[in-house]
Amino acid sequence: MRDRQREDTPVAGNLPLELDAFVGRTAELAGLTEALGETRLVTVTGVGGVGKSRLAARAASRCAPSDGVWRVELAPVRDPACVDHAVVAALGLTDHTTRPARETLLSHLAERQLLLLLDGFEHLVDACAELVTELLCRAPGLKVLAVGRRPLSVQGEKLLPLTPLAEDEAVELFAARAALHGIQVAGDDDVRELCRRLDGIPLAVELAAGRLRALSPGQLLVRLDDRFRLLTRAGGDSPWRHRTLRTAIGWSHELCTPEERLLWARLSVFAGRFDLEAVEYVCSGHGLHADDVLDVLSELLAQSVVSREETDSGVRYRMLDTVRAYGADWLAATGDAERLRRRHRDWYLGLATWCELDWFSPRQAELAARVEAELPNLRSALEHCLSEPEEAHLGQLLAGSLWFCWAGCGRLSEGRHWLDQAVQLHSGHEQSRLKALWVLGYVAVLQGDTLAALAALHECREEAELSANPTATAYAEHRTGCLALVSDDMPRAETLLRSALARYQEIGELNSNVLMGQVELAMARAFQGDLEEAEVLCEDVHRVCEDHGERWARSYALYVLAYAAWREGDQGRARELLTDCLAAAHSFRDLLGSVLTVELLALVTATEGDAAEAAVLQGSADRMWPPVGLPLFGSAYFNAPHELCEAMTRERLGDERYEECVRAGALLDREAAVGRALRLGRPTATALEALPAPREPLRHSKVTLDMHEPAASPTRKGGETAG
């Protein structure tokens, strides 16, 4: 891992952009950067508000591991069982299998050179210490930079305690932040004394600077003196700097208007970032009118209590954990905490319900980004519901309503975590539990967990029929048909899927799930040789998707249409359809749709005459399968295109060159593989660049394979299951 890189050079990973100037800390920054070059685990410790996160992010940005710097915000995570999922999410990983999130991390990190920044772990020390120990032992190219108020206390940890700013640096920071408010201050005696009184703690200094619109430095100093005298009389056993920060935050709190203090306290119910709409719903009422929320929030922004960020899902706000914790104490003191938690739960349950309904629309990409941004708050709402017996049905409904996130946006593993918990609870609200059951069955099907899928879907079907719930009956039957499809029982799949589609029509159900049922029926017909009906079914799906702006189910319809086009000898149309299909699947982080498409693109490429490129695509698909599950479901029908492609390209290239091309493809990560398949770019230097790419048509190939009469026991090279 190189120690430094130019500060204006983008760093691979997910470090946020700095929106204001980084002031001081020259020696500390050099020391931390040096430590990262020499040690695999460095922990920055210090009191809240001392600037640990900012220093760590700046030091991390000066490192340049080949696979990037990835920051994991752990402050919003409350359940230790969710730590691994939070790291998986921060790394942007997708895993469809039943393997634990820890195994996903180990598999991803095993051969990578990467810096992992774990920020705000102090309330999860045991879980984080265990995770870091195992990751460092099994991923030799990994380095970890941990940030918290206490050490992880694991072997090999190098500690860098962070002290407050020196006086000159504190004065410089005060002046820099004052300038953001259009106020120029000099380093006069009042400013210096104020920074001394604040003990050089950056958060305290920034809170003070946020008050300059109303008070001069001298007035701030007088008010702070009063606050410190009160603290001294009160005594206390806490460390002085902890009391200094609490005093500075409390002093800033006292300077707030009643409405500002009320909003500050109520904002503490949010986990991580939040948007204005959520604030207006959750925090209004009981002394704070909804129409006034924006003005009050703007004042908290001006005072540095709240910060504003631009994200892919729009403008969002956040509070530093220290400030949030202070607000949480006040909220508890008001006796209003439980009501606010219920308001928070209601908002995010409503958000999930709205997103589920709106998924069948042109806004799918927007919704995927929105749910991604809201995951910390959705997790918090799920934890709250599933830990309260009287709210279990709301947790079941929330976990079930997020099916599009679990199945459509590459979060099957986390979805399984919540759904397994939800269905264990008997809430007395059968409809909510039935929804969680069929979604659990769906997730288990996609993970290749046949026994769990059958158990959940069978229970859902039985309970739905007993309670005369036609919607749950239809979904259970549909997903059982999907399981039959990937298990090679095409007649049963066709029977169940036709029946489920009839039920959907009878109850007036039309959404992405219903369209996927129609696509799955088309697959069953295509695999049995009826390309004509398969095309009719998918053309209808395509038309409905175009009418509604739906892209996710549409991508699977394009896959079947491309398969039919290939069978009919129209390679140009097949490639056009697959390119469109792959672009959509990749944008949703849908690994299953992506890898199926790359497999079929390899066959189309071989048929067009480019055997070397086809073998490269097969190699890239082989690398993509482990986080999806059993390659091509272990299905003879789904496997047949791969077998045919391999036979064609081996005959054209010979075994040695074929394997060489496959190995070259396996060097491509998912982004590079998809980019190559879409012809958007080529991989960086690999053995692939030396390979010639003959394009003579395979006119004389002796290989034939009847696609609707697959071999009984297909084999795959390099196709071990990761489940």
Side-chain angles (χ1 to χ4, degrees):
M1 183 184 295
R2 298 196 307 274
D3 292 337
R4 296 176 181 271
Q5 75 170 34
R6 289 177 44 128
E7 293 185 7
D8 58 351
T9 302
V11 178
N14 66 344
L15 284 179
L17 296 174
E18 294 183 337
L19 300 180
D20 48 35
F22 183 87
V23 176
R25 301 289 195 197
T26 303
E28 294 95 330
L29 183 59
L32 180 53
T33 304
E34 182 179 358
L36 287 171
E38 299 173 347
T39 310
R40 295 186 62 208
L41 172 59
V42 183
T43 301
V44 180
T45 61
V47 299
V50 80
K52 302 183 296 294
S53 297
R54 188 68 184 272
L55 177 70
R58 171 55 69 102
S61 71
R62 302 176 76 183
C63 299
S66 58
D67 294 298
V69 178
W70 299 85
R71 179 172 179 253
V72 185
E73 290 189 75
L74 291 172
V77 178
R78 291 289 169 256
D79 183 356
C82 288
V83 169
D84 289 7
H85 290 293
V87 180
V88 166
L91 288 170
L93 301 181
T94 304
D95 193 288
H96 286 354
T97 70
T98 57
R99 62 181 177 176
R102 178 74 54 88
E103 290 301 317
T104 300
L105 290 173
L106 290 168
S107 175
H108 177 77
L109 297 173
E111 298 180 359
R112 284 177 165 79
Q113 301 289 321
L114 184 145
L115 175 61
L116 193 63
L117 199 171
L118 300 179
D119 196 354
F121 65 82
E122 55 269 358
H123 58 302
L124 301 162
V125 170
D126 291 342
C128 289
E130 180 193 353
L131 171 64
V132 167
T133 299
E134 186 169 5
L135 292 183
L136 289 175
C137 286
R138 296 177 59 182
L142 175 68
K143 292 192 176 186
V144 175
L145 173 56
V147 179
R149 299 182 197 178
R150 53 176 291 188
L152 283 169
S153 299
V154 301
Q155 186 176 3
E157 179 181 31
K158 181 177 179 62
L159 293 179
L160 268 75
L162 188 62
T163 58
L165 293 168
E167 182 180 314
D168 287 345
E169 290 182 331
V171 170
E172 183 184 357
L173 176 64
F174 186 88
R177 297 303 182 255
L180 294 177
H181 300 287
I183 299 170
Q184 301 300 317
V185 297
D188 57 24
D189 290 342
D190 284 342
V191 172
R192 288 189 173 277
E193 182 61 20
L194 182 63
C195 290
R196 278 197 294 270
R197 289 281 183 165
L198 294 173
D199 210 18
I201 297 175
L203 174 58
V205 171
E206 295 201 20
L207 288 171
R211 286 291 173 184
L212 288 176
R213 293 189 309 163
L215 300 169
S216 70
Q219 291 172 313
L220 289 171
L221 184 58
V222 170
R223 288 174 179 266
L224 187 60
D225 276 340
D226 291 341
R227 192 69 172 86
F228 271 111
R229 281 194 292 273
L230 176 63
L231 174 68
T232 302
R233 289 197 299 272
D237 298 325
S238 59
W240 174 250
R241 279 174 178 151
H242 177 71
R243 286 187 283 155
T244 298
L245 181 61
R246 292 284 296 180
T247 301
I249 295 174
W251 161 71
S252 185
H253 186 265
E254 289 172 3
L255 293 176
C256 290
T257 65
E259 292 80 8
E260 291 163 5
R261 289 198 293 268
L262 190 59
L263 182 57
W264 182 341
R266 291 177 179 179
L267 289 174
S268 68
V269 300
F270 290 102
R273 295 163 179 79
F274 45 87
D275 63 16
L276 178 60
E277 287 181 314
V279 175
E280 288 175 331
Y281 177 85
V282 174
C283 300
S284 62
H286 293 255
L288 184 60
H289 196 279
D291 292 342
D292 297 329
V293 166
L294 178 57
D295 290 338
V296 179
L297 180 63
S298 297
E299 287 301 313
L300 293 179
L301 281 165
Q303 296 160 27
S304 299
V305 173
V306 177
S307 60
R308 178 184 185 276
E309 298 180 359
E310 295 280 352
T311 72
D312 291 342
S313 56
V315 174
R316 300 180 69 76
Y317 306 93
R318 65 173 300 186
M319 287 197 298
L320 290 178
D321 195 48
T322 307
V323 176
R324 188 204 64 79
Y326 191 92
D329 289 345
W330 272 87
L331 184 62
T334 66
D336 204 23
E338 186 57 35
R339 185 184 72 84
L340 264 292
R341 280 193 288 269
R342 289 196 301 269
R343 297 275 290 181
H344 177 275
R345 171 209 67 200
D346 290 345
W347 173 260
Y348 287 100
L349 177 59
L351 175 68
T353 302
W354 170 72
C355 288
E356 178 190 24
L357 293 172
D358 211 34
W359 183 254
F360 188 50
S361 79
R363 290 175 291 281
Q364 285 179 323
E366 175 188 335
L367 296 176
R370 177 74 182 273
V371 170
E372 177 82 13
E374 298 289 9
L375 269 176
N377 282 300
L378 289 166
R379 289 175 183 140
S380 178
L382 281 162
E383 287 173 10
H384 177 73
C385 293
L386 297 177
S387 65
E388 300 290 339
E390 65 275 12
E391 297 190 5
H393 65 291
L394 298 177
Q396 292 167 343
L397 181 59
L398 179 52
S401 296
L402 288 169
W403 68 264
F404 65 94
C405 175
W406 315 138
C409 302
R411 299 211 173 273
L412 287 179
S413 181
E414 181 166 355
R416 182 71 179 271
H417 169 78
W418 295 113
L419 290 161
D420 277 335
Q421 292 184 59
V423 300
Q424 296 304 315
L425 303 174
H426 291 272
S427 60
H429 293 71
E430 199 62 32
Q431 187 168 345
S432 297
R433 186 166 182 275
L434 287 174
K435 183 167 190 174
L437 274 170
W438 76 252
V439 176
L440 173 59
Y442 180 23
V443 166
V445 168
L446 294 177
Q447 289 184 309
D449 192 348
T450 301
L451 292 178
L454 282 173
L457 294 171
H458 179 71
E459 183 178 358
C460 182
R461 176 75 179 266
E462 282 195 333
E463 295 297 327
E465 290 177 344
L466 285 173
S467 60
N469 187 320
T471 302
T473 301
Y475 278 101
E477 188 170 48
H478 171 186
R479 294 307 169 193
T480 306
C482 183
L483 181 59
L485 176 71
V486 299
S487 302
D488 281 353
D489 191 346
M490 295 303 155
R492 176 169 167 76
E494 181 179 347
T495 298
L496 290 169
L497 291 168
R498 287 193 190 279
S499 177
L501 289 169
R503 292 180 189 275
Y504 287 141
Q505 186 171 13
E506 185 177 340
I507 62 177
E509 191 88 345
L510 179 61
N511 54 35
S512 299
N513 273 306
V514 174
L515 295 178
M516 281 297 294
Q518 194 164 324
V519 171
E520 288 151 3
L521 175 59
M523 288 182 179
R525 293 306 303 146
F527 289 147
Q528 294 177 92
D530 189 350
L531 294 179
E532 184 177 353
E533 184 181 8
E535 288 182 278
V536 169
L537 287 166
C538 287
E539 289 289 1
D540 183 59
V541 170
H542 186 268
R543 177 186 57 77
V544 175
C545 288
E546 290 292 314
D547 289 344
H548 291 269
E550 210 279 359
R551 294 177 58 231
W552 179 63
R554 174 182 174 273
S555 68
Y556 283 91
L558 295 179
Y559 170 83
V560 178
L561 290 170
Y563 173 83
W566 171 80
R567 287 288 306 276
E568 293 164 350
D570 191 345
Q571 309 311 320
R573 174 166 169 74
R575 177 172 291 281
E576 179 183 354
L577 291 167
L578 289 170
T579 299
D580 192 349
C581 173
L582 181 57
H586 187 61
S587 71
F588 287 115
R589 297 176 62 206
D590 184 347
L591 266 188
L592 176 59
S594 297
V595 71
L596 285 174
T597 306
V598 171
E599 289 276 13
L600 193 51
L601 264 171
L603 179 56
V604 170
T605 301
T607 307
E608 290 174 332
D610 193 344
E613 183 71 8
V616 169
L617 290 175
Q618 284 203 306
S620 69
D622 283 346
R623 177 170 173 172
M624 293 169 70
W625 272 113
V628 177
L630 185 63
L632 293 156
F633 316 110
S635 159
Y637 288 96
F638 281 93
N639 198 65
H642 180 95
E643 292 293 312
L644 177 58
C645 181
E646 179 176 344
M648 293 169 68
T649 50
R650 277 187 184 277
E651 181 184 38
R652 177 66 183 86
L653 298 172
D655 289 344
E656 182 178 348
R657 190 152 175 274
Y658 170 80
E659 296 292 350
E660 186 180 3
C661 291
V662 168
R663 285 193 299 271
L667 295 175
L668 306 178
D669 62 20
R670 180 160 38 114
E671 290 292 333
V674 171
R676 186 179 185 87
L678 294 175
R679 292 294 192 268
L680 296 178
R682 298 189 67 83
T684 55
T686 66
L688 175 63
E689 302 301 335
L691 295 175
R695 295 183 174 273
E696 295 87 343
L698 301 176
R699 297 188 184 93
H700 305 298
S701 173
K702 298 177 182 178
V703 179
T704 59
L705 182 58
D706 189 337
M707 301 298 287
H708 58 277
E709 291 293 343
S713 302
T715 59
R716 287 290 307 276
K717 292 186 180 293
E720 296 179 1
T721 178

